[in-house]
Amino acid sequence: MAWCLAPVVFGALALLAGCARLPVAETTAPRDRFADAYVELLPVADMMGEAAARDPRWPLAEKAALVSPAQLGCMRQALAPGQVQAAQRQLALDYADAHPATLTADIAVLEGGAARLIGQAMRAGAGLKAPAPTRPASEGEMRALAQFATDARFADLRQATGLSRLAGGSPSADDERGKDIARALTVNFLTDAFLRCHIPVKLLY
């Protein structure tokens, strides 16, 4: 029996050893790579988690007194980082499935630097710590950022990520612009949470 199992065991070990040498990017499905880059580009979940940790009345602040504790709890649950990130990944996967012809280019521009630089600017604008030590942008990353922001090939991608406002403007990813973009992006999640928890959307403004 041992002799019979030996080829199977050694074969499995050889297979695992071969797989271990492959870069992560080559073993991850393109749509999943796109979803990873999408979440890095738009760190909305982390931003909301930080805001909720700072203020138990978030996202309503002083208007929390106008809703029930159950409604406030419902909103905070709907906007928990895990919920928001899951929603983001689903949006990204849906986009990937609907745009197979441009997915390779979309992944390249995001992984090439656009996702890191824009996500970094949003984190800085929201006062969040970077998930990894920041480093200066390389020339290649700046080219990717400029392409994402201005190239007509990425118009659908900008629209899908809520970053269409970058088109035609400066392709910089400064902290102030990151803060403005982050504020605009969170409105969609907030509006959905208001509706889900049966809270008048007018309290958002």
Side-chain angles (χ1 to χ4, degrees):
M1 184 65 174
W3 286 105
C4 293
L5 290 175
V8 177
V9 173
F10 286 120
L13 290 174
L15 179 60
L16 289 173
C19 291
R21 289 194 295 269
L22 290 176
V24 172
E26 293 183 16
T27 61
T28 303
R31 64 198 297 272
D32 290 322
R33 286 173 58 196
F34 178 78
D36 291 341
Y38 184 101
V39 171
E40 181 182 15
L41 174 76
L42 306 173
V44 177
D46 289 345
M47 291 162 48
M48 290 187 169
E50 178 69 15
R54 287 199 303 260
D55 184 356
R57 302 174 303 166
W58 183 88
L60 296 176
E62 68 277 0
K63 294 180 181 179
L66 302 178
V67 302
S68 70
Q71 287 175 308
L72 178 60
C74 174
M75 279 209 71
R76 289 174 66 87
Q77 176 60 35
L79 297 171
Q83 297 281 345
V84 173
Q85 192 168 110
Q88 284 186 292
R89 292 192 68 86
Q90 188 58 57
L91 288 171
L93 294 174
D94 290 344
Y95 175 93
D97 291 339
H99 297 80
T102 61
L103 186 59
T104 298
D106 291 339
I107 292 172
V109 77
L110 292 179
E111 292 184 341
R116 184 179 83 83
L117 296 182
I118 294 175
Q120 183 175 293
M122 287 190 189
R123 286 179 178 278
L128 292 181
K129 291 182 179 180
T134 58
R135 64 181 189 277
S138 67
E139 291 184 8
E141 286 180 319
M142 290 303 297
R143 282 195 299 272
L145 175 62
Q147 289 174 345
F148 174 84
T150 62
D151 197 315
R153 291 179 301 162
F154 303 112
D156 287 347
L157 181 57
R158 288 192 297 269
Q159 181 69 30
T161 56
L163 299 176
S164 293
R165 61 190 299 179
L166 291 178
S170 168
S172 65
D174 57 86
D175 295 354
E176 194 59 38
R177 171 168 284 200
K179 185 184 297 184
D180 291 341
I181 292 172
R183 188 179 301 115
L185 292 174
T186 57
V187 169
N188 293 332
F189 289 100
L190 288 169
T191 301
D192 289 343
F194 270 75
L195 295 174
R196 185 186 309 180
C197 299
H198 307 291
I199 298 174
V201 177
K202 64 182 181 181
L203 293 184
L204 178 59
Y205 304 100

